[in-house]
Amino acid sequence: RDYTFTYKSNVKAGKATVTATGKGNYAGSQSVKFKIVAPSASLRAQVQTYGWEKGWKANGTLSGTTGQGKRLEAVQIRLTGNMAKKYDVYYRVHAQKYGWMGWARNGASAGTAGHAICLEAIQVVIVPKGAKAPSATYKGVKQAYAKAFVGK
C-alpha cells in the first residue's frame, strides 16, 4: 500500500478523525473529521396485569417494572431516526413453555399476551434495510416455535 490510515476517537458516538498518510513515493497527509451517530432504538413491553406500556421507551429509560414481581410477557422494538431508514431490527424471545419463538421485525410483537408466560431472554439482530430475516438457527440459538407472538 502507498498509504496508511490512522483514526482518532472512532469508538464511541461523537466526533472522530481519520487521517490518510502517504508512504514511499507519496508524501503528505489528509485528515477528515466525521460524526459517529449512536444507534437509536425504542421499545415497549407487555407487562403482567398492566398490558402494553402506553409509550415507547428509549435512551436508557426503564421498560417494565421493578420491585413489583410483574413479568414481562412480550416486547416490541423499533429503530428510529436515520437508523430506521437504513436498517431493520429483528428480535425474538425465549418464553417459558414455548422456548425460542420466531423472529419479529420493526415494532411487531414478540412473546405472549394473556397466557401468564414469562420471557426469559431476547435476541436482537440489526440488518440492512430489506435484508431477509436471520435463520431459525442463529448464532447457536435454535427456534422451537414458529410464531413470533401468541395473543389471546
Side-chain angles (χ1 to χ4, degrees):
R1 284 195 171 153
D2 298 323
Y3 56 87
T4 59
F5 286 114
T6 55
Y7 302 91
K8 182 177 177 187
S9 303
N10 73 324
V11 177
K12 297 180 181 178
K15 294 179 181 178
T17 305
V18 60
T19 302
T21 304
K23 291 171 42 180
N25 292 330
Y26 300 93
S29 64
Q30 179 70 43
S31 295
V32 176
K33 293 182 186 275
F34 61 97
K35 185 177 179 182
I36 299 174
V37 179
S40 53
S42 59
L43 69 93
R44 65 185 201 137
Q46 160 81 24
V47 181
Q48 174 189 355
T49 308
Y50 303 129
W52 284 104
E53 294 175 308
K54 300 220 182 320
W56 290 82
K57 312 297 182 177
N59 298 324
T61 303
L62 175 75
S63 181
T65 64
T66 58
Q68 297 182 34
K70 302 293 182 185
R71 71 183 157 267
L72 293 184
E73 297 176 341
V75 295
Q76 297 171 328
I77 302 173
R78 66 181 182 188
L79 299 175
T80 58
N82 285 332
M83 289 289 291
K85 295 175 186 173
K86 296 179 181 180
Y87 299 96
D88 290 320
V89 60
Y90 283 92
Y91 45 96
R92 63 180 175 180
V93 299
H94 187 281
Q96 288 177 335
K97 300 181 185 176
Y98 286 93
W100 282 104
M101 299 180 76
W103 292 101
R105 180 184 75 156
N106 296 340
S109 300
T112 68
H115 295 279
I117 295 173
C118 181
L119 296 186
E120 296 179 338
I122 301 171
Q123 187 177 33
V124 179
V125 179
I126 297 173
V127 301
K129 190 63 120 178
K132 66 181 184 175
S135 63
T137 299
Y138 182 79
K139 301 270 183 180
V141 176
K142 187 175 181 181
Q143 179 177 307
Y145 188 78
K147 291 183 179 179
F149 181 73
V150 178
K152 272 205 165 179

